[in-house]
Amino acid sequence: MAEELRFFLRTALYSAAIGIIYWFASYDAVHGAYDWIGTVMLAAAGLASGAVVVVMALFARRALEGAPGASTLGVVARWLGFTDPGGPAGQQPLAAGLEPLPRRSAWPLVSSLAVALIGLGIVFGPWLLLPGIVLLAGSVWGWVTQLQVPR
Amino acid sequence: MTDLAQPVVPARPRGDGIVAYLTTTDHKQIGMLYLGSGLLFFLLAGALALLMRAELSTPGLQFLDEATYNQLFTMHGTGMIFFFASPVALGFANYLIPLQIGAPDVAFPRLNALTYWLFLMGGLIAFSGFLTISGAAAFGWTGYVPLSDGTYSPGPGPNLWIVGLILSGTSGILGAVNFLATVFTMRAPGMTMFRVPIFTWNMLVVSMLIVLTFPVLTSALVMLLIDRTTGAGFFDPAAGGSPILWQHLFWFFGHPEVYILALPFFGIVTETIPVFSGKRLFGYRPMVFATLLIGALSFSVWAHHMFTTGSVSNLFFAITSMAIAIPTGVKFFNWIATMWRGRLRFPSPMLFSIGFLLMFLIGGITGPFLASPPIDYHVQDTYYVVAHMHYVLFGGSVLAAFAGFYFWIPKMTGRMLDERLGHVHFWGLMVGMNLTFFPMHFLGLSGMPRRVADYSGPEWWTPVNLLISLGAVLVALSVLAFVTNIVINVLMGRGREAGDDPWGGYSLEWATTSPPPHHNFTRLPPIRSERPVWDARQADRGVSGEAKARKPGSGGSDG
């Protein structure tokens, strides 16, 4: 867990840092204005990455509960990469091949056809849009019910 | 191979019929679907380029009008970037990532299938604009407003282009999430992050770039579609919107996209060069950090495409754009150092890899000139930009893609491609692309504008344009040699059998059969470095892989 956390956290920190630098660098002395568009995009990239970190951190805290060094400070230190990422939640990827693979499925193809119909419907009219929505609902139903069948 | 461990789930029959491909959730079949479809879009977009070059071979309008020419260059760029280079990279990633990390499949196999079908639908819808009365989109692959708004580009063709790109963008986002989850959670025991092969590392960074930038493009396309269909004014100054907003949104996606198109192919040559140099990759960790740095910097360079708008900080974007040359230079150094004093072999994958180094270098050198605002003002929208872009994307991505095809097709199909046809393909492509793209630098510097069906200028432009068109024909003929190679040796099954490891590969995909079984591996070798198959081979010969790798002068780094 530590690796993906650190990956996203560093992305968030980098985006925030470059966003701050860009904010100041974008100052236009003639108009006395900063560039909001680029700053907002960089901030959004940082926030999106940070949101992933927060979600994963919740799982990480649960996984680390009761383990040595499970204090909040210890967890943060590991995320930042200041300590060995080993431990109960680190360096132990899922063992390959122990989980059965999913069976064949036509639903991805049918779903994409439905989405394509909806897209064409937006361009050409409801006579394509409505069948697309019905097909999409059917394909989602088929997809979900197939997931419930034991593999 | 000794010391094989970790028995994995037994193989399940796969099936290769049409229905099997339509309903597959196997990452290998989905990867091959991506690669096959990408090649078909390459041929289609290439045919559009030939039409353009035929028109430009002499001044004046020959057989195309301006409107049709505009559609051709728009769909050529769209096809090559969104429906050839991206899907080919994703195709290799689909096929190789689970194999290289020792996993049985990607994290979300059904979602993976959905990404392919969404991409295909997107491509078909975007190109279906040619079937409408008003024709396909005709505003360039960058879709700048106001050119792409409802006033200047009426009709359904542009809307189809937008919908097609929204679908393919959504496909890319879902695929990237899948790759991130796969690399982070499905590595085989022993496959630590610093033992992950460079191709997979590069795809990890590319996936992150996709996740952060494709939503921006997709959002911008939705806004443009709303502008066009409802009369909203996101990009209309009269309604309080801003055309510059489109450029910001597009290039916030568009420049990372350049690295989304380059990094996978950097990864391919980083896999091939050590194998055909008979050496360990020089500087594995610096290669990883260079990839990370390129990915990070690519976020802060988007507006170097907007120097001439006068609305951006030219200094900031010039500095960050030029800084990307540093990690790229590290990669070049490491590739050359890997070959240095190696036992070099020159089969087709290595030829294309070396071709990539030479051609991408030209594209890389012309890049910093464009990153310099005073020069950029001079050559903006000229053939200099066309030359630079094609040395990066054709000389870089396409050559490396062909290196990947020659390298891994034996693994994917169990059949070797013909080396003589491979050499014909390589030399034809090298001569043809240089005839085509190198003179464009001079046309651009002398002011010939891009995206025009007719031109008038100095007399020497005419023979140079004819030479460029002849070069394009040579490129097409060389690609024909590749297609012939595929048809004869793979589709007709006449190629000699490849065996499991025809090249003496290093990473895990070479530890399984060609083609691999449904679950990829029946056994895995122990993973103690970034090249476990090489280690296992050395162990077979009675040499400790670790000890050998750490010998002075081996160019190795810690695994």
Side-chain angles (χ1 to χ4, degrees):
Chain A
M1 183 63 91
E3 282 143 4
E4 53 265 42
L5 269 176
R6 286 186 295 166
F7 192 78
F8 278 95
L9 184 63
R10 285 167 181 162
T11 306
L13 292 175
Y14 172 79
S15 301
I18 200 74
I20 292 167
I21 295 169
Y22 178 72
W23 166 253
F24 287 107
S26 69
Y27 181 70
D28 180 353
V30 177
H31 300 98
Y34 295 90
D35 175 37
W36 278 99
I37 301 172
T39 308
V40 166
M41 286 193 294
L42 289 167
L47 283 174
S49 305
V52 175
V53 172
V54 169
V55 171
M56 281 199 272
L58 294 175
F59 287 101
R61 277 193 63 81
R62 271 183 225 161
L64 285 171
E65 225 161 76
S71 66
T72 303
L73 195 61
V75 172
V76 171
R78 267 193 296 278
W79 297 341
L80 291 170
F82 293 129
T83 59
D84 183 356
Q91 300 281 338
Q92 281 297 325
L94 298 178
L98 298 177
E99 189 173 333
L101 296 177
R103 62 174 61 188
R104 296 187 183 289
S105 177
W107 298 117
L109 170 60
V110 178
S111 302
S112 68
L113 278 170
V115 172
L117 275 178
I118 291 171
L120 290 172
I122 292 170
V123 177
F124 292 111
W127 57 279
L128 281 169
L129 186 66
L130 294 177
I133 292 171
V134 171
L135 190 60
L136 182 64
S139 66
V140 169
W141 176 256
W143 192 316
V144 171
T145 50
Q146 189 187 30
L147 288 176
Q148 293 168 344
V149 177
R151 291 175 293 186
Chain B
M1 201 170 287
T2 60
D3 198 18
L4 294 175
Q6 301 127 14
V8 183
V9 176
R12 196 168 65 186
R14 187 176 54 186
D16 288 322
I18 291 176
V19 175
Y21 273 93
L22 290 176
T23 59
T24 187
T25 55
D26 179 351
H27 73 98
K28 297 180 289 296
Q29 288 185 322
I30 293 168
M32 292 177 75
L33 285 170
Y34 264 114
L35 292 171
S37 307
L39 277 176
L40 289 176
F41 278 114
F42 175 71
L43 296 177
L44 178 57
L48 301 184
L50 284 177
L51 288 174
M52 286 190 286
R53 283 317 316 173
E55 175 59 46
L56 291 170
S57 57
T58 56
L61 292 179
Q62 327 305 320
F63 62 99
L64 294 174
D65 56 42
E66 284 94 343
T68 308
Y69 185 88
N70 292 348
Q71 293 173 38
L72 294 186
F73 74 69
T74 299
M75 295 314 295
H76 165 74
T78 302
M80 286 297 188
I81 288 170
F82 292 102
F83 300 113
F84 161 65
S86 294
V88 163
L90 293 175
F92 280 120
N94 250 298
Y95 201 97
L96 292 170
I97 285 178
L99 285 168
Q100 291 198 327
I101 63 172
D105 207 313
V106 291
F108 311 115
R110 288 185 187 85
L111 187 71
N112 197 26
L114 178 67
T115 66
Y116 167 72
W117 294 114
L118 282 177
F119 143 73
L120 185 65
M121 297 298 162
L124 294 176
I125 288 175
F127 273 89
S128 69
F130 280 118
L131 303 177
T132 63
I133 294 171
S134 56
F139 36 65
W141 76 277
T142 50
Y144 274 14
V145 286
L147 202 54
S148 58
D149 69 16
T151 306
Y152 295 101
S153 295
N159 288 344
L160 290 170
W161 181 87
I162 294 168
V163 169
L165 262 56
I166 289 173
L167 292 193
S168 74
T170 307
S171 156
I173 295 164
L174 297 176
V177 169
N178 211 346
F179 292 142
L180 286 168
T182 302
V183 176
F184 281 131
T185 66
M186 295 188 68
R187 285 171 284 119
M191 181 62 78
T192 61
M193 285 308 286
F194 279 110
R195 291 175 184 166
V196 168
I198 292 287
F199 174 76
T200 297
W201 251 115
N202 283 18
M203 284 309 304
L204 183 72
V205 173
V206 163
S207 299
M208 196 67 190
L209 293 180
I210 289 174
V211 164
L212 289 174
T213 62
F214 272 38
V216 177
L217 173 72
T218 307
S219 307
L221 287 165
V222 170
M223 291 159 73
L224 182 60
L225 190 62
I226 292 171
D227 268 12
R228 290 176 54 87
T229 53
T230 70
F234 289 112
F235 306 116
D236 180 7
S242 165
I244 295 295
L245 172 63
W246 170 266
Q247 293 195 30
H248 271 294
L249 295 175
F250 184 86
W251 287 117
F252 192 77
F253 143 83
H255 204 81
E257 169 73 358
V258 172
Y259 297 98
I260 290 166
L261 298 182
L263 285 174
F265 301 103
F266 285 8
I268 287 174
V269 299
T270 310
E271 298 290 333
T272 57
I273 286 175
V275 169
F276 296 111
S277 301
K279 284 175 62 183
R280 192 173 196 169
L281 175 67
F282 182 90
Y284 169 85
R285 287 192 186 216
M287 284 297 238
V288 172
F289 288 120
T291 300
L292 290 167
L293 190 55
I294 289 172
L297 284 172
S298 73
F299 270 100
S300 54
V301 299
W302 77 91
H304 70 216
H305 296 273
M306 300 165 59
F307 283 152
T308 54
T309 63
S311 301
V312 298
S313 168
N314 288 0
L315 179 65
F316 175 84
F317 288 106
I319 291 171
T320 52
S321 301
M322 289 188 192
I324 289 194
I326 297 168
T328 310
V330 169
K331 283 184 174 286
F332 262 89
F333 181 85
N334 288 2
W335 287 322
I336 293 167
T338 301
M339 287 190 284
W340 186 256
R341 293 185 173 174
R343 294 186 301 278
L344 296 177
R345 293 178 286 153
F346 296 100
S348 301
M350 184 61 160
L351 284 180
F352 278 97
S353 300
I354 293 173
F356 158 86
L357 292 185
L358 298 172
M359 297 300 101
F360 189 83
L361 183 63
I362 296 175
I365 287 173
T366 51
F369 289 101
L370 287 169
S372 172
I375 300 175
D376 186 75
Y377 272 73
H378 178 65
V379 295
Q380 166 94 11
D381 271 334
T382 70
Y383 263 83
Y384 187 89
V385 178
V386 181
H388 162 72
M389 183 176 180
H390 282 86
Y391 269 97
V392 170
L393 292 182
F394 196 100
S397 304
V398 175
L399 285 182
F402 282 128
F405 279 117
Y406 283 101
F407 191 56
W408 281 301
I409 276 181
K411 173 56 60 183
M412 296 171 180
T413 66
R415 298 283 170 186
M416 298 296 289
L417 291 175
D418 183 78
E419 274 298 307
R420 283 167 301 182
L421 277 173
H423 281 57
V424 169
H425 177 202
F426 172 73
W427 290 111
L429 201 66
M430 283 294 281
V431 174
M433 78 156 281
N434 280 295
L435 282 179
T436 304
F437 302 120
F438 201 77
M440 288 182 182
H441 291 110
F442 304 109
L443 289 176
L445 288 171
S446 66
M448 180 166 168
R450 65 174 176 168
R451 298 179 174 176
V452 289
D454 190 11
Y455 52 89
S456 61
E459 275 187 23
W460 62 269
W461 281 11
T462 303
V464 167
N465 269 293
L466 180 61
L467 182 70
I468 290 172
S469 298
L470 292 173
V473 173
L474 189 53
V475 168
L477 290 174
S478 73
V479 172
L480 194 60
F482 175 69
V483 173
T484 306
N485 209 344
I486 296 278
V487 170
I488 292 175
N489 294 298
V490 176
L491 299 182
M492 295 169 66
R494 291 191 187 170
R496 68 182 166 85
E497 286 192 14
D500 294 349
D501 186 6
W503 308 116
Y506 292 174
S507 42
L508 279 181
E509 72 268 28
W510 305 107
T512 187
T513 56
S514 302
H518 187 66
H519 282 78
N520 289 346
F521 299 97
T522 49
R523 292 178 177 195
L524 285 170
I527 301 164
R528 297 181 185 130
S529 76
E530 80 276 12
R531 49 177 191 173
V533 174
W534 187 90
D535 291 341
R537 210 161 38 236
Q538 292 302 106
D540 269 349
R541 293 171 187 162
V543 182
S544 158
E546 286 290 293
K548 180 87 174 175
R550 290 170 193 279
K551 273 176 68 175
S554 69
S557 62
D558 275 344

